Amino acid sequence: MKEKNKLFRQIIGLIIIAAWVTPEVVVSFCWVAFLGDNGTLNQLIELFHFKPIAWLFTFPMISVIIANIWRGTAFSMMVFQAALDDIPKEIEEAAIIDGASKWKVITKVTIPMVKGTIATNMMLVTLQTLGVFTLIYTMTGGGPGNATMTLPVLMYKQAFVSYQLGYGTAISLTLLLIGVVASLLYMKTLKMKV
């Protein structure tokens, strides 16, 4: 049983790590091929006699969010796996011997011991998500209309398409400020020392 579990974890780990190490532009084109009008998802839907959907036009933001989550999950999994592996098993075993339920072990032992990792990961994921450009620009270009127009895409279009460098710079500074405020809130919420 343990061998099957180990093999399963290795296979899933490889699939997830592949998402992280693949360049973002390649991931974007893969998702466009998967969600496109003649893409894999629509071909699967047609097998069940459903009408194909223009995913990138009908649900553009949801499509981008799913692609970004798939790409970013690997990093968080590696960070949390390393943090969980660092927790001494003796502490969890001692809590169980003292009569703690599995829920109590998770909430009173495991989570407090990885609190710093949670805060760090939340900050990094927030900052990475705030700065997502290639994925969105390649998949939708900020459209249809302005449906997926995020600050990085707007910044690019203002600075390099409309040649409004001052406006683009102002957007980038706003993005930086949002990242700083979010990081400070995470640290305050989890009572981390700067």
Side-chain angles (χ1 to χ4, degrees):
M1 182 70 175
K2 275 191 172 182
E3 286 299 316
K4 285 183 181 177
N5 189 24
K6 187 178 178 184
L7 180 65
F8 176 77
R9 283 180 67 178
Q10 287 176 340
I11 291 170
I12 295 299
L14 281 172
I15 291 169
I16 289 171
I17 298 278
W20 190 53
V21 298
T22 306
E24 197 169 15
V25 71
V26 175
V27 169
S28 304
F29 283 123
C30 288
W31 276 97
V32 167
F34 182 70
L35 298 172
D37 293 345
N38 295 319
T40 310
L41 185 57
N42 277 335
Q43 289 178 7
L44 291 172
I45 287 171
E46 286 177 335
L47 286 177
F48 296 100
H49 305 290
F50 290 108
K51 196 174 177 183
I53 300 169
W55 296 99
L56 295 171
F57 185 77
T58 311
F59 305 106
M61 188 54 87
I62 292 172
S63 301
V64 167
I65 289 170
I66 290 170
N68 192 45
I69 289 172
W70 178 75
R71 176 151 167 62
T73 299
F75 177 76
S76 294
M77 284 185 65
M78 288 189 300
V79 167
F80 285 125
Q81 186 63 54
L84 291 171
D85 288 345
D86 282 346
I87 297 174
K89 296 294 174 211
E90 296 82 23
I91 295 174
E92 291 177 347
E93 289 169 0
I96 291 168
I97 290 169
D98 287 343
S101 65
K102 285 199 181 257
W103 177 249
K104 287 278 188 193
V105 170
I106 291 169
T107 57
K108 301 293 183 187
V109 176
T110 307
I111 291 176
M113 292 189 81
V114 297
K115 187 167 71 170
T117 304
I118 292 170
T120 303
N121 187 61
M122 283 171 39
M123 278 189 288
L124 292 173
V125 167
T126 300
L127 295 174
Q128 185 272 334
T129 302
L130 279 172
V132 171
F133 171 77
T134 307
L135 190 76
I136 296 170
Y137 197 76
T138 308
M139 286 179 72
T140 64
N146 289 328
T148 57
M149 185 69 68
T150 59
L151 285 177
V153 175
L154 180 63
M155 177 183 64
Y156 173 80
K157 286 191 172 185
Q158 289 301 318
F160 302 112
V161 176
S162 300
Y163 301 108
Q164 300 288 323
L165 292 175
Y167 192 21
T169 303
I171 294 169
S172 69
L173 289 173
T174 303
L175 199 56
L176 177 66
L177 251 161
I178 292 169
V180 168
V181 169
S183 298
L184 291 173
L185 283 173
Y186 286 138
M187 287 190 286
K188 187 171 176 62
T189 303
L190 293 169
K191 295 177 178 66
M192 288 181 65
K193 292 180 182 174
V194 182

